[in-house]
Amino acid sequence: MSVNRDADLGWAAGFFDGEGHVSYRRGYPNKSTGRVSGSLIAVVPQNIDNVEVLEHFKSIIGFGSIGGPYKVKTNGKINRRFEVRYGVNEVEELFKILRPNLREKKTADFNRALIQYWTHDPKPTEEDFKRTIKRNKKKGCPECSGEWDAFICKKCGYIA
Ligand SMILES: [Zn+2]
C-alpha cells in the first residue's frame, strides 16, 4: 500500500471519528405483515461550503452517495447541509476500510450498530407502535390532512 493511501485512510478515519455517525434503525410495522424492517446507516454531514471534503472522503472510500442540500436549523439559523451516506449494504464495508485507523468510540458505535442489525427482531415492539403513532399524528389525517390523534379524525370522521 502506498504512503498516500495510508495517509488518505488515516485522514478518512479521523474525519469520521470527528464528524460521522453510524446507527441501526427500525422501520415502521408493515401494514399487511406487521413486520418491522431493520436498517443500518452511516452519515457524515457538512455545511454547504465543505461539500468538497465529502467528495474527498467518498473518493478515498470508493463508494457512498452524497445528498443535499438539506435545510437544518441550528441556533435559530437556517443552514444548508450536505451529507455523504452509506446504506444498509455499505456500512460493513465502510467499517472494514475505516477500522484500522478508527478510534475507540466510533469503533464501538459501528460494533453496536452491526450487532443490533444482525440480531434484528422483526416482531414489532411497544416502542415501534409508539413511534408509528407519533409519525401518523405528525402526518395528519390521511383523508383530509387535518390534525388528528392517529385513531379518528374529528374533522372528517376518518377512522384508522
Ligand atoms: Zn380527516
Side-chain angles (χ1 to χ4, degrees), residues 116-146:
Q116 285 175 319
Y117 177 67
W118 292 330
T119 58
H120 170 75
D121 182 355
K123 210 177 119 213
T125 64
E126 201 180 322
E127 189 53 40
D128 292 328
F129 289 121
K130 277 187 194 158
R131 275 189 307 114
T132 307
I133 291 168
K134 211 169 152 190
R135 181 189 66 161
N136 289 348
K137 270 186 186 169
K138 222 170 158 183
K139 273 174 138 181
C141 166
E143 275 301 304
C144 73
S145 308

Side-chain angles (χ1 to χ4, degrees), residues 22-42:
V22 58
S23 60
Y24 152 81
R25 287 191 187 164
R26 292 180 68 83
Y28 294 99
N30 182 284
K31 276 201 179 122
S32 48
T33 65
R35 289 166 68 87
V36 174
S37 63
S39 186
L40 284 168
I41 185 159

